[in-house]
Amino acid sequence: MSALIYLEGRELSFFYGDERIVFLRLDRPKASGKVQIKVYPDCRVVASAPEDADSETVLSAVKKRGRWIYEQLRDFRKQLEFTTPRQYISGESHYYLGKQYLLKVIEAPKQIQGVKLLRGKLEVSVRTKSTEKVKELLTDWYKARAKETFAKRLDAMLEQALWVEARPPLRILTMQTQWGSCSSNGRITLNPHLVKAPRECIDYVILHELCHLAEHNHSKRFYRLMSQVMPHWQQTKVRLDGMAAVILNA
């Protein structure tokens, strides 16, 4: 879990049945090991490989996962069919901590502009109705809630992460393809969109990054540690991944 948007790489492709699947090949400097393949909710396929691996080796590795990639793309495309662009008008449904809330936009020229969570609704007060202003206010509100919520959940998860000696620095940063990341110097970065997911999903992402403080790669030891602190993390991951298309576009 790292990086914002993959801007550099080489496009390669292969056929699975009648479908041509295009993927982006990224180099991992000074890395060894297997080719890592990810399919993102926006249907981008990325293969991360050691920089000295030739294209044929990478292509072969990706082809072997052809069926899995095809099924991932199929599932994400189904989700995207039901995802309509946000208009930020009254009546829309928006997520917060796993629950859906109706958006209510109030035009009040003399009131302070802002967002309140009241009686199952997200009420946004604006001086004049503007899609961009409503979006801006909601974005700021989500970031503020994320900062507060993530700090509390980090403290709670640290009680389980006995290998962590000191509370790691926490940063909130909007990312297009990741829920979170852990830098080489131990800073944890979390996506504010994650605050729209259920608390269990937030805890999963935080624990995932805390495990990276002990194991920097997705090794067997990493997953063993993850299973020790959250035995059912796979189910939680599936739940979060299933909500990705809706949450990231909300």
Side-chain angles (χ1 to χ4, degrees):
M1 293 188 176
S2 57
L4 288 177
I5 303 174
Y6 295 112
L7 298 175
E8 297 180 0
R10 283 168 283 167
E11 280 195 351
L12 299 172
S13 67
F14 67 99
F15 279 91
Y16 183 82
D18 295 330
E19 179 168 351
R20 178 172 177 259
I21 297 176
V22 178
F23 66 93
L24 189 67
R25 182 252 169 93
L26 294 178
D27 291 332
R28 298 201 313 274
K30 300 179 181 179
S32 59
K34 297 180 180 179
V35 176
Q36 297 176 357
I37 304 166
K38 291 185 179 181
V39 182
Y40 292 101
D42 61 1
C43 294
R44 285 179 304 120
V45 182
V46 176
S48 177
E51 60 182 352
D52 59 355
D54 59 59
S55 294
E56 285 303 316
T57 300
V58 177
L59 192 57
S60 176
V62 175
K63 281 183 177 179
K64 289 179 181 178
R65 302 292 304 280
R67 181 177 179 180
W68 176 80
I69 294 170
Y70 176 82
E71 291 174 348
Q72 291 286 297
L73 289 171
R74 179 193 61 196
D75 292 345
F76 282 135
R77 283 167 184 159
K78 284 182 181 179
Q79 293 177 25
L80 290 172
E81 286 178 10
F82 299 99
T83 304
T84 55
R86 293 286 174 180
Q87 295 179 299
Y88 296 94
I89 56 176
S90 293
E92 278 187 345
S93 180
H94 289 254
Y95 282 87
Y96 176 57
L97 294 178
K99 296 181 180 180
Q100 286 182 286
Y101 294 90
L102 284 179
L103 178 64
K104 183 178 181 181
V105 180
I106 302 170
E107 188 172 21
K110 296 183 180 180
Q111 286 188 18
I112 297 175
Q113 298 186 118
V115 182
K116 293 180 181 179
L117 188 61
L118 293 171
R119 296 179 290 277
K121 293 181 180 179
L122 272 171
E123 293 190 358
V124 182
S125 298
V126 291
R127 295 190 181 94
T128 56
K129 286 187 178 181
S130 161
T131 297
E132 288 304 314
K133 190 60 183 178
V134 174
K135 181 179 180 180
E136 177 190 327
L137 290 170
L138 271 175
T139 298
D140 290 345
W141 183 83
Y142 274 121
K143 285 182 178 178
R145 299 287 78 73
K147 184 176 181 180
E148 177 184 316
T149 301
F150 297 164
K152 289 180 180 178
R153 298 318 303 161
L154 175 59
D155 288 339
M157 294 304 99
L158 282 171
E159 294 180 6
Q160 300 179 45
L162 302 180
W163 61 90
V164 181
E165 296 180 0
R167 190 182 194 275
L170 178 62
R171 178 176 65 161
I172 310 299
L173 181 68
T174 301
M175 297 179 276
Q176 299 300 316
T177 60
Q178 311 295 341
W179 296 117
S181 67
C182 180
S183 68
S184 58
N185 62 6
R187 181 178 64 185
I188 290 176
T189 300
L190 297 176
N191 193 331
H193 284 298
L194 182 61
V195 80
K196 301 172 187 177
R199 192 183 72 177
E200 183 183 22
C201 296
I202 297 172
D203 290 351
Y204 155 70
V205 174
I206 291 175
L207 280 172
H208 183 111
E209 304 310 336
L210 288 174
C211 284
H212 276 313
L213 293 176
E215 299 292 336
H216 297 294
N217 298 313
H218 291 115
S219 61
K220 289 182 180 179
R221 288 185 298 180
F222 170 86
Y223 288 116
R224 187 161 56 242
L225 183 60
M226 191 71 206
S227 295
Q228 288 174 0
V229 292
M230 183 177 261
H232 305 294
W233 68 265
Q234 289 100 329
Q235 293 94 314
T236 305
K237 180 182 185 300
V238 169
R239 184 183 182 189
L240 179 59
D241 289 345
M243 299 177 69
V246 174
I247 289 177
L248 292 172
N249 286 282

